[in-house]
């Protein structure tokens, strides 16, 4: 399902001003979106939103030095060799669902422009990893960076229409830039998830506008890496004009002026250029949410949700948020924060530290080294994968009815009491303690040694797994670990996923002020200064004089 809005039609004239008119004076045909509904039924809105950022960061200075240059500002989030857009979507979805009953979900939409499969439902893989129920709508969205906002619009429509009670949108990307290109320091990896429903939403949509526009800005054909046209042309002709036009139309339909917008989410394809859009729209400088591109890079379809999460963390009841997503056009939605946004701020997600990665290891992780180390040829069987899905994807084990021992092997006879074929199926927890481990240096991997861990899970069950996101020297018996959904290998020519473990690095919940200050260099993203003093929006979109930026 390609990115793009759906619904009826409307007509508006092209924008004028600093960003100029539309090419050839063309008229825009924005597609009608979410306008206030009549009747007594509560409207669908955002119940929760969460992000997932990989553990590693690659600095622009490291990229510049590798190519004989100097300087370089900022850094980008880098997915590990065992992560992709599916695993990051699962991580974000787990954060978003938290302790909610996942089996009550009515729909799951996966959005990505770097999906691991061209033909095979990635949404279904995410649903399996989340262990969702058997009756579920799933759909994959892709084709443009608007895929995430298109999935969100579809989720809101599905709930509003009464087709489902709740829907989850999981968006993630791990885009690859050509080595040495200007995009290499721009593209980051990350995921985000948005839970949509009617029960105590933290924000509800007031109005929206969707404008498709065909332009050669960013594209990818058969090659793995992204291609781009002229940067300045893309920033103005593909991004700014349509971000302005869609935002104006959405504000018009919501009956909202630019000075009434408290938070403006204006993600751009290169992490810059949002300042020109904000000026053209007449927004207050302090309302513009920092894209955070210098800390994480541009996270593809997940980036608008990353910024929306930050905006909601700073919002008060009744404040209005302009949300946009650009890519072959622009989607714009005006949200209004509800009284539940205060509870959302209190359940702010945990923080975790990040580590730097060197440029050569980054190339190895992305398989960009032409003659890199041999990774082995693991055997894989679709039949075996299907038979083991209960444990390897859904984390379901067998509990002996006689002795209550939880077995994580697909056995017919309980090894503890000898009872035969007498088990209940139980769901394993994702937290535990490291019982013992070995570190294997001979196993072919981009990051030796491989730590094989035996984990005693909370609630019972002993689980054998690879440990990831860890320095070998920090592994200790008794350390707290959590299970994380990752790629195991690509044997058989397809992706084999499983649950690995990693150290628990998060620092706790709540305490917005203290945690916000401590969130620097973490995978918990937040903004500070939003709603603060005034400032000026510079030509490059940077905020000066009291605006917001990523911590």
């Amino acid at each position: 399902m390609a990115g793009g809005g759906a619904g009826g039609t409307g007509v508006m004239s092209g924008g004028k001003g600093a960003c100029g008119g539309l090419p050839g004076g063309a008229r825009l045909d924005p597609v009608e979106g979410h306008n206030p509904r009549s009747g007594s039924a509560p409207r669908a809105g955002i119940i929760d939103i969460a992000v997932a950022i990989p553990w590693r960061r690659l600095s622009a200075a490291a990229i510049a030095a590798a190519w004989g240059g100097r300087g370089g500002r900022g850094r980008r989030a880098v997915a590990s060799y065992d992560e992709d857009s599916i695993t990051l979507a699962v991580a974000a979805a787990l954060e978003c669902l938290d302790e909610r009953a996942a089996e009550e979900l009515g729909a799951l939409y996966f959005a990505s422009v770097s999906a691991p499969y061209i033909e095979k439902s990635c949404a279904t893989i995410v649903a399996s990893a989340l262990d969702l129920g058997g009756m579920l709508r799933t759909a994959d969205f892709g084709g443009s960076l608007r895929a995430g906002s298109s999935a969100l619009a579809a989720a809101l429509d599905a709930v509003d229409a009464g087709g489902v009670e709740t829907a989850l949108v999981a968006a993630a990307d791990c885009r690859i830039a050509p080595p040495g290109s200007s995009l290499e320091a721009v593209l980051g990896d990350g995921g985000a998830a948005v839970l949509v429903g009617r029960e105590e939403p933290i924000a509800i949509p007031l109005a929206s506008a969707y404008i498709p526009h065909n332009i050669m800005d960013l594209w990818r054909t058969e090659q793995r890496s992204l291609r781009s046209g002229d940067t300045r042309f893309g920033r103005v002709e593909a991004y700014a004009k349509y971000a302005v036009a869609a935002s104006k139309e959405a504000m018009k339909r919501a009956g909202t002026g630019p000075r009434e917008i408290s938070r403006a989410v204006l993600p751009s394809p290169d992490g810059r250029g949002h300042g020109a859009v904000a000026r053209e729209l007449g927004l207050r400088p302090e309302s513009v949410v920092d894209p955070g591109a210098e800390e994480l890079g541009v996270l593809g379809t997940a980036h608008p949700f990353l910024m929306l999460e930050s905006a909601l963390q700073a919002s008060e009841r009744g404040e209005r948020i302009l949300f946009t997503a650009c890519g072959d056009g622009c989607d714009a939605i005006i949200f209004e924060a509800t009284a539940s946004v205060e509870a959302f701020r209190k359940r702010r997600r945990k923080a975790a530290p990040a580590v730097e990665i060197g440029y050569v290891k980054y190339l190895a992780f992305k398989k960009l080294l032409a003659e890199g180390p041999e990774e082995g040829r693991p055997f894989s069987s679709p039949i075996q994968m299907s038979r083991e899905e209960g444990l390897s994807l859904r984390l379901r084990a067998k509990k002996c009815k006689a002795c209550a021992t939880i077995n994580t092997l697909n056995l017919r006879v309980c090894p503890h009491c000898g009872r035969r074929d007498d088990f209940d199926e139980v769901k394993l927890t994702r937290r535990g303690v490291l019982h013992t481990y070995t570190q294997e240096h001979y196993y072919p991997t981009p990051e030796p040694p491989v730590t094989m861990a035996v984990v005693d899970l909370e609630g019972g069950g002993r689980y054998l797994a690879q440990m990831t996101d860890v320095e070998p020297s920090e592994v200790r018996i008794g350390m707290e670990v959590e299970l994380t959904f990752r790629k195991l290998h690509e044997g058989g020519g397809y992706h084999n996923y499983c649950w690995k473990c990693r150290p628990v690095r998060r620092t706790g919940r709540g305490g917005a002020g203290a945690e916000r200050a401590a969130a620097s260099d973490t995978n918990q993203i937040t903004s500070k200064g939003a709603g603060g003093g005034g400032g000026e929006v510079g030509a490059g979109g940077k905020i000066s004089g009291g605006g917001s930026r990523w911590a």
Side-chain angles (χ1 to χ4, degrees):
M1 186 178 293
T9 59
V11 178
M12 62 174 290
S13 299
K16 298 179 180 179
C19 288
L22 295 176
R27 289 165 64 87
L28 295 177
D29 295 320
V31 180
E32 294 279 2
H34 291 84
N35 289 312
R37 286 158 43 96
S38 59
S40 57
R43 275 177 284 160
I46 295 174
I47 295 176
D48 208 339
I49 183 170
V51 299
I53 308 299
W55 187 46
R56 294 176 172 84
R57 305 287 184 273
L58 176 66
S59 69
I63 298 174
W67 291 95
R70 293 187 300 176
R73 294 178 56 185
R75 55 187 191 165
R76 50 167 292 187
V78 176
S80 182
Y81 65 92
D82 59 358
E83 291 180 294
D84 60 18
S85 56
I86 283 181
T87 67
L88 288 169
V90 171
L94 289 170
E95 283 286 340
C96 190
L97 291 173
D98 200 8
E99 297 178 355
R100 296 181 177 92
E103 60 271 17
E104 295 178 1
L105 273 179
L108 185 146
Y109 300 147
F110 172 76
S112 178
V113 292
S114 57
Y117 286 106
I118 297 173
E119 179 171 347
K120 177 172 173 55
S121 172
C122 297
T124 304
I125 298 174
V126 175
S128 295
L130 298 176
D131 198 19
L132 302 182
M135 301 298 291
L136 182 76
R137 295 185 187 181
T138 57
D140 290 44
F141 291 69
S144 89
L145 294 182
R146 287 189 295 124
S149 57
S150 300
L152 176 60
L156 290 165
D157 285 343
V159 176
D160 258 340
V164 296
E165 290 296 318
T166 55
L168 183 68
V169 175
D173 269 310
C174 299
R175 296 185 293 168
I176 296 176
S181 70
S182 60
L183 284 174
E184 195 168 34
V186 173
L187 305 184
D189 303 327
V194 185
L195 182 62
V196 173
R198 289 195 178 93
E199 186 176 350
E200 299 181 350
I202 58 176
I204 55 174
L206 301 180
S208 59
Y210 306 108
I211 304 175
H213 176 65
N214 175 40
I215 192 167
M216 294 306 292
D217 175 27
L218 297 169
W219 69 92
R220 183 164 60 90
T221 53
E222 75 280 359
Q223 73 278 1
R224 294 177 61 220
S225 58
L226 192 64
R227 298 291 187 267
S228 65
D230 182 81
T231 301
R232 178 175 172 78
F233 173 80
R235 188 181 302 158
V236 175
E237 300 295 332
Y239 165 65
K241 287 183 178 178
Y242 293 91
V244 168
S247 299
K248 283 184 174 179
E249 181 66 13
M251 288 191 290
K252 176 184 173 183
R253 293 176 180 179
T256 299
R259 312 303 284 186
E260 299 171 82
I261 297 295
S262 301
R263 320 284 166 196
V265 175
L266 301 169
S268 62
D270 62 354
R272 305 173 64 185
H274 55 284
V277 174
R279 284 197 305 275
E280 174 72 11
L281 291 173
L283 298 170
R284 291 177 294 114
E286 62 270 24
S287 71
V288 180
V289 178
D290 191 318
E294 284 201 4
E295 283 295 319
L296 301 173
V298 177
L299 310 185
T301 55
H303 207 90
F305 297 142
L306 175 91
M307 297 176 65
L308 180 59
E309 192 265 359
S310 181
L312 288 166
Q313 287 287 354
S315 293
E316 302 287 345
R317 178 182 182 179
E319 291 187 344
R320 295 192 170 186
I321 301 169
L322 167 62
F323 170 80
T324 64
C326 288
D328 291 297
C330 182
D331 296 344
I333 305 176
I334 305 296
F335 286 101
E336 183 173 278
T338 71
S340 299
V341 77
E342 182 177 351
F344 169 74
R345 293 199 304 269
K346 290 180 179 177
R347 64 174 180 265
R348 184 174 178 274
R349 263 71 189 188
K350 302 170 184 177
V355 297
E356 297 289 333
I357 185 174
Y359 186 69
V360 174
K361 182 174 281 189
Y362 156 77
L363 292 178
F365 279 14
K366 299 296 183 183
K367 296 186 177 179
L368 293 171
L369 294 174
E371 299 293 336
E374 178 65 47
E375 294 187 15
R377 297 180 178 83
F379 170 78
S380 184
S381 162
I383 297 174
Q384 182 182 12
M385 176 187 289
S386 177
R387 288 175 176 171
E388 295 180 351
E389 180 179 326
L391 176 63
S392 60
L393 295 188
R394 298 182 180 274
L395 271 184
R396 291 189 174 270
K398 292 181 174 180
K399 183 176 182 179
C400 178
K401 293 182 179 178
C403 68
T405 298
I406 295 177
N407 296 285
T408 56
L409 297 175
N410 191 19
L411 304 173
R412 295 187 62 186
V413 178
C414 177
H416 293 269
C417 70
R419 181 69 68 90
R420 186 182 183 88
D421 292 330
D422 195 14
F423 300 98
D424 286 326
E425 187 178 76
V426 295
K427 176 76 174 178
L428 298 175
T429 63
R430 291 186 291 108
R431 294 290 291 265
V433 174
L434 182 62
H435 176 73
T436 189
Y437 68 96
T438 61
Q439 292 183 328
E440 302 179 0
H441 292 261
Y442 63 85
Y443 188 86
T445 171
E447 193 172 40
V450 170
T451 299
M452 294 302 301
V454 178
V455 180
D456 286 336
L457 297 171
E458 293 178 0
R462 180 164 287 179
Y463 190 76
L464 174 65
Q466 291 185 16
M467 186 175 287
T468 190
D469 290 353
V470 66
E471 298 293 340
S473 60
E474 65 177 312
V475 180
R476 297 284 186 275
I477 291 175
M479 67 189 297
E480 284 188 274
V481 297
E482 61 183 357
L483 302 191
T484 175
F485 192 68
R486 298 297 175 95
K487 282 195 299 184
L488 181 60
H489 57 72
E490 296 178 356
Y494 48 87
H495 305 284
N496 293 259
Y497 295 96
C498 71
W499 290 89
K500 297 183 179 180
C501 69
R502 66 182 177 187
V504 176
R505 303 183 191 279
R506 302 171 183 182
T507 57
R509 291 176 178 270
E515 264 197 25
R516 192 163 298 176
S520 177
D521 199 22
T522 70
N523 72 355
Q524 169 57 49
I525 308 308
T526 184
S527 64
K528 64 181 180 181
E536 298 297 326
V537 181
K542 298 299 295 180
I543 307 297
S544 61
S548 65
R549 58 167 302 190
W550 297 112

